[in-house]
Amino acid sequence: MIYQYWNKEMETLERSALEAYQLTQLKAAVAQALQTPFYRERLAAVGIRSDADIKDLEDVRRIPFTTKGDLRTGFPYGFLSIPREEVVRLHASSGTTGTPTTIYFSKEDIHRWTAFVARSIYATGCNKTDVFQNMITYGLFTGGLGFHFGGEAVGMLVIPSGSGNTTRQFKLMQDFGTTVVHATPSFLLHVQAKMQEEGVRREQLKLTRAFAGAEPYSEDTRRRIEELLRIDVYNSYGLSEMNGPGVAFECQAKNGLHLWEDGYLGEIVNPETLEPVPDGETGELVLTCLCREATPILRYRTRDLSGFYTEPCPCGRTHRRLRRITGRTDDMLIINGVNLFPGQIEEVIMAIKEVGNNYLILVEKEGVLDRLTVKIEVGSEVFRDDTRPLNALKERIRKTLQASITINPRVELHQQGSLPVSEGKARRVLDQRPTV
Ligand code: AMP
Ligand code: ZN
């Protein structure tokens, strides 16, 4: 494999030099943060009054964490650290509850962000001969414009198709010879199911790659999309608080996501003690933005669970790789006292070949107990007059799930295409238990 680099010097910079660069950027981020009343107060409380109080990278641990709640209290302009006239764009997080969190960008911030997205795209082997269909929501969500600008910077022909409307997506793919797409993994699975329904043959498409992110998915789901669509799928990770896409991305070795450490300082902490976990272990990812002036954010608790791989990547990049994000510290379900991440269910069912592209986890109260139902789509060939194969499959899925999650679920099988599909982030969990 020949690996290509967008910014070879930075991507392969020796660790000591990379860390020296991070320290310079961290000092700049602290100086910028001190321009906001929020951080002035927070940092003063721990004795940080100027960037001179940050002497080495370890000093990052003196800085208090920032949470989504903190960002909300600053809505709308509390975290803005440059004059309003210098701001050229804002984005807001998709936030499932309450006040959104808003991030502001200066011209320079947009350039820096774009360069990280371009670097990510280029690391997957794309170049200006590619036609890139960006099948994700444009607007306040960062995925649309973030990839759009990054794709243009690489020189690809960018089709701003947005999400949804598969018929139109297929038409665009055929008309312009799309080679690369960006979407959520669930939308990619939906696209594949629709291809069959609408009679679009794989040979009519020129697809080679997809960037899939914005929601957790398993390695099995990745493989499934790759096999069904006959493309390479690269995991794309980002969050609006850290600009958006282009925070961490898989290279062609596809063995974890390189965190672009010249732009983002990463730590993995135990979500309960908030102390660093030993090298290589899983914990909550905490990020400090090192590449933005308009909205400095230090030690942001992402709630995303990951960990660093410790061995080097064959691609030669020195930026550490994050393991696939398996879930968040806050999507954990507790079912009759047993902790469960929706991703665990996905991992099990997506490894079963009869299972289709969509599923839904339903949690209800039945008497005093919690009841877990997993609704799963399966191919229509299983639905016959003779219900024995269907029942056998159902029982096999139930047993496999139970063995893995230690909870006995109810399993329902549904016809392909009959469960609700969302065009943005998939809503896979319906928790109908009354809140206590
Ligand atoms: P937003 O700020 O709306 O872009 O949402 C960011 C959140 O989406 C992250 O904190 C993650 O929880 C999730 N997310 C984004 N990309 C991925 C990915 N590749 N794998 C898992 N979760 C992701
Ligand atoms: Zn690599």
Side-chain angles (χ1 to χ4, degrees):
M1 171 93 64
I2 297 163
Y3 297 102
Q4 60 180 28
Y5 311 96
W6 182 251
N7 178 344
K8 184 163 189 193
E9 192 194 342
M10 194 46 100
E11 289 170 56
T12 60
L13 198 61
E14 205 200 312
R15 286 298 308 178
S16 58
L18 181 54
E19 285 170 14
Y21 181 80
Q22 285 187 302
L23 179 60
T24 315
Q25 295 302 96
L26 176 62
K27 279 167 164 291
V30 167
Q32 200 62 37
L34 285 165
Q35 304 296 313
T36 67
F38 173 85
Y39 278 119
R40 235 183 345 264
E41 196 187 316
R42 278 282 173 102
L43 293 174
V46 296
I48 300 173
R49 285 185 180 79
S50 98
D51 59 338
D53 292 321
I54 301 290
K55 298 200 166 55
D56 56 46
L57 271 186
E58 284 291 296
D59 279 342
V60 74
R61 287 174 50 193
R62 292 174 54 204
I63 300 174
F65 294 100
T66 304
T67 63
K68 215 174 183 80
D70 291 329
L71 298 180
R72 287 206 183 105
T73 58
F75 184 82
Y77 284 120
F79 282 78
L80 181 61
S81 72
I82 60 170
R84 219 309 273 120
E85 309 78 71
E86 302 303 319
V87 176
V88 297
R89 197 195 297 168
L90 67 78
H91 278 287
S93 102
S94 52
T96 43
T97 49
T99 321
T101 54
T102 316
I103 304 297
Y104 302 95
F105 298 81
S106 68
K107 265 190 192 162
E108 199 44 46
D109 291 340
I110 297 281
H111 287 151
R112 278 188 289 242
W113 173 27
T114 298
F116 283 110
V117 182
R119 182 195 289 186
S120 306
I121 292 173
Y122 204 66
T124 68
C126 293
N127 60 40
K128 64 181 189 178
T129 63
D130 281 296
V131 177
F132 172 46
Q133 195 162 320
N134 198 13
M135 306 195 293
I136 207 124
T137 317
Y138 277 65
L140 289 175
F141 175 59
T142 54
L145 285 175
F147 265 94
H148 187 101
F149 275 53
E152 285 186 355
V154 167
M156 306 194 288
L157 193 177
V158 184
I159 307 175
S161 63
S163 67
N165 198 341
T166 42
T167 308
R168 189 162 147 269
Q169 302 283 6
F170 292 136
K171 176 113 182 32
L172 290 167
M173 285 179 195
Q174 289 171 322
D175 287 348
F176 303 109
T178 301
T179 57
V180 185
V181 292
H182 168 220
T184 59
S186 44
F187 190 66
L188 288 173
L189 287 169
H190 178 61
V191 160
Q192 194 276 329
K194 282 282 181 191
M195 262 175 82
Q196 287 180 327
E197 225 178 279
E198 298 186 17
V200 178
R201 283 178 295 114
R202 177 61 181 89
E203 301 68 51
Q204 296 171 287
L205 306 178
K206 295 204 171 123
L207 292 183
T208 61
R209 291 179 182 79
F211 313 132
E215 61 187 14
Y217 60 114
S218 63
E219 189 57 37
D220 279 315
T221 300
R222 182 239 289 273
R223 246 178 268 128
R224 174 185 288 256
I225 301 171
E226 290 193 323
E227 279 163 21
L228 289 173
L229 285 174
R230 280 181 266 143
I231 53 173
D232 281 304
V233 173
Y234 295 93
N235 197 350
S236 153
Y237 172 78
L239 60 163
S240 42
E241 292 81 2
M242 296 291 127
N243 295 329
V247 173
F249 221 91
E250 282 183 319
C251 70
Q252 285 183 287
K254 286 196 215 162
N255 57 357
L257 301 89
H258 287 283
L259 173 69
W260 301 128
E261 293 184 277
D262 51 328
Y264 307 95
L265 182 64
E267 302 166 75
I268 304 285
V269 303
N270 177 316
E272 261 135 47
T273 63
L274 300 178
E275 290 299 318
V277 301
D279 256 8
E281 284 189 13
T282 299
E284 181 177 331
L285 176 64
V286 171
L287 291 171
T288 296
C289 193
L290 301 179
C291 57
R292 190 174 57 217
E293 56 182 354
T295 325
I297 296 185
L298 310 176
R299 292 197 96 197
Y300 182 67
R301 288 192 58 185
T302 65
R303 311 277 171 177
D304 290 321
L305 288 170
S306 185
F308 283 112
Y309 285 107
T310 46
E311 65 280 11
C313 186
C315 76
R317 290 180 177 83
T318 49
H319 299 237
R320 288 179 300 168
R321 283 166 298 132
L322 288 169
R323 282 203 293 273
R324 175 179 289 283
I325 284 90
T326 46
R328 294 171 55 87
T329 56
D330 53 4
D331 72 357
M332 190 177 75
L333 297 164
I334 303 182
I335 298 185
N336 295 324
V338 180
N339 294 352
L340 174 70
F341 284 99
Q344 290 173 269
I345 292 186
E346 182 182 332
E347 224 167 56
V348 173
I349 62 178
M350 284 299 170
I352 299 172
K353 77 171 187 334
E354 291 90 344
V355 168
N357 293 346
N358 203 1
Y359 69 95
L360 186 73
I361 298 166
L362 178 67
V363 192
E364 300 160 286
K365 267 286 183 229
E366 212 172 59
V368 293
L369 289 180
D370 296 325
R371 184 32 118 168
L372 171 71
T373 305
V374 187
K375 300 180 179 222
I376 300 169
E377 283 187 3
V378 290
S380 51
E381 68 280 7
V382 197
F383 294 88
R384 300 241 177 81
D385 285 342
D386 179 0
T387 55
R388 276 171 302 179
L390 188 75
N391 288 333
L393 174 62
K394 197 168 26 177
E395 185 57 12
R396 177 150 62 86
I397 296 176
R398 192 192 60 74
K399 279 197 179 138
T400 319
L401 265 176
Q402 187 176 11
S404 163
I405 62 177
T406 72
I407 298 167
N408 184 11
R410 192 179 281 162
V411 170
E412 279 179 24
L413 300 183
H414 293 260
Q415 298 257 17
Q416 186 92 265
S418 63
L419 292 176
V421 206
S422 49
E423 283 159 2
K425 285 173 200 264
R427 299 242 180 285
R428 304 287 205 194
V429 181
L430 211 56
D431 195 340
Q432 297 190 326
R433 293 174 293 186
T435 41
V436 276

